[in-house]
């Protein structure tokens, strides 16, 4: 039963699932040659310092697997000032790896210039994946 004005319609509306309930968090690291690591978060997982440090360790392994000498030439991360990025534990891991951080402005309403490169590559990849899936569905 719901409250309503005497002139309001009696038909009740069903609640719809919002788009945000189906969202999935993904973390992407890339360099000038392409994507280094894509990590999909488990639904309901919150990114904290511990989770982010595990991701940084996976990134280090991904860089090692990509090619020799990449870690010795230095790694510089461009990241915002979110709490997991600025936590003491995260700073310790970055110091241990001898990685540097490129300072991000404290607040920026716009996308970082590097995002345009990533989004273009992701758009192309997603377009190809969707086309391939549609072709496979048509042949079934």
């Amino acid at each position: 039963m719901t409250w309503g004005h005497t002139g309001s319609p009696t038909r009740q509306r069903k609640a719809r699932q919002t788009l945000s309930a189906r969202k999935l968090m993904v973390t992407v690291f890339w360099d000038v040659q392409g994507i280094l690591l894509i990590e999909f978060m488990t639904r309901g997982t919150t990114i904290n310092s511990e989770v982010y440090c595990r991701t940084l360790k996976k990134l280090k392994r991904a860089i090692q697997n990509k090619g020799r000498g990449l870690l010795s030439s230095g790694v510089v991360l461009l990241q915002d000032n979110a709490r997991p990025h600025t936590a003491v534990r995260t700073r310790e891991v970055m110091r241990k790896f001898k990685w540097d951080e490129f300072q991000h402005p404290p607040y920026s309403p716009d996308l970082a210039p590097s995002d345009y490169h990533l989004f273009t590559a992701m758009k192309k990849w997603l377009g190809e994946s969707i086309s391939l899936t549609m072709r496979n569905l048509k042949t079934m």
Side-chain angles (χ1 to χ4, degrees):
M1 187 144 202
T2 59
W3 290 96
H5 189 269
T6 54
S8 63
T10 57
R11 187 177 86 156
Q12 293 181 358
R13 293 184 178 193
K14 287 188 175 184
R16 293 184 186 172
Q17 183 181 20
T18 61
L19 191 59
S20 63
R22 298 182 299 184
K23 285 184 180 179
L24 182 66
M25 173 72 91
V26 63
T27 305
V28 182
F29 293 92
W30 72 96
D31 65 3
V32 294
Q33 296 174 350
I35 293 175
L36 295 167
L37 175 70
I38 299 177
E39 183 174 50
F40 292 93
M41 299 295 296
T42 307
R43 288 190 195 277
T45 303
T46 302
I47 296 180
N48 56 26
S49 178
E50 181 182 335
V51 172
Y52 190 63
C53 287
R54 280 197 308 260
T55 302
L56 290 177
K57 290 173 185 173
K58 290 177 187 177
L59 175 62
K60 183 177 180 184
R61 274 187 254 124
I63 293 171
Q64 287 171 333
N65 292 338
K66 186 171 182 178
R68 289 192 165 136
L70 289 178
L71 288 174
S72 62
S73 63
V75 172
V76 179
L77 290 180
L78 171 62
Q79 55 189 11
D80 60 16
N81 59 349
R83 286 187 180 170
H85 301 162
T86 60
V88 172
R89 184 176 182 164
T90 304
R91 300 265 184 222
E92 289 171 359
V93 169
M94 298 222 357
R95 200 175 5 246
K96 178 182 164 188
F97 293 166
K98 297 180 182 171
W99 289 1
D100 291 320
E101 179 182 358
F102 187 80
Q103 292 299 315
H104 191 276
Y107 173 74
S108 177
D110 299 326
L111 294 171
S114 59
D115 290 345
Y116 292 106
H117 301 290
L118 172 66
F119 292 153
T120 303
M122 280 180 52
K123 184 177 174 182
K124 182 181 177 193
W125 179 79
L126 285 170
E128 291 169 357
S129 297
I130 291 169
S131 296
L132 181 62
T133 303
M134 295 304 287
R135 274 189 250 130
N136 289 340
L137 289 173
K138 287 180 183 177
T139 59
M140 293 180 136

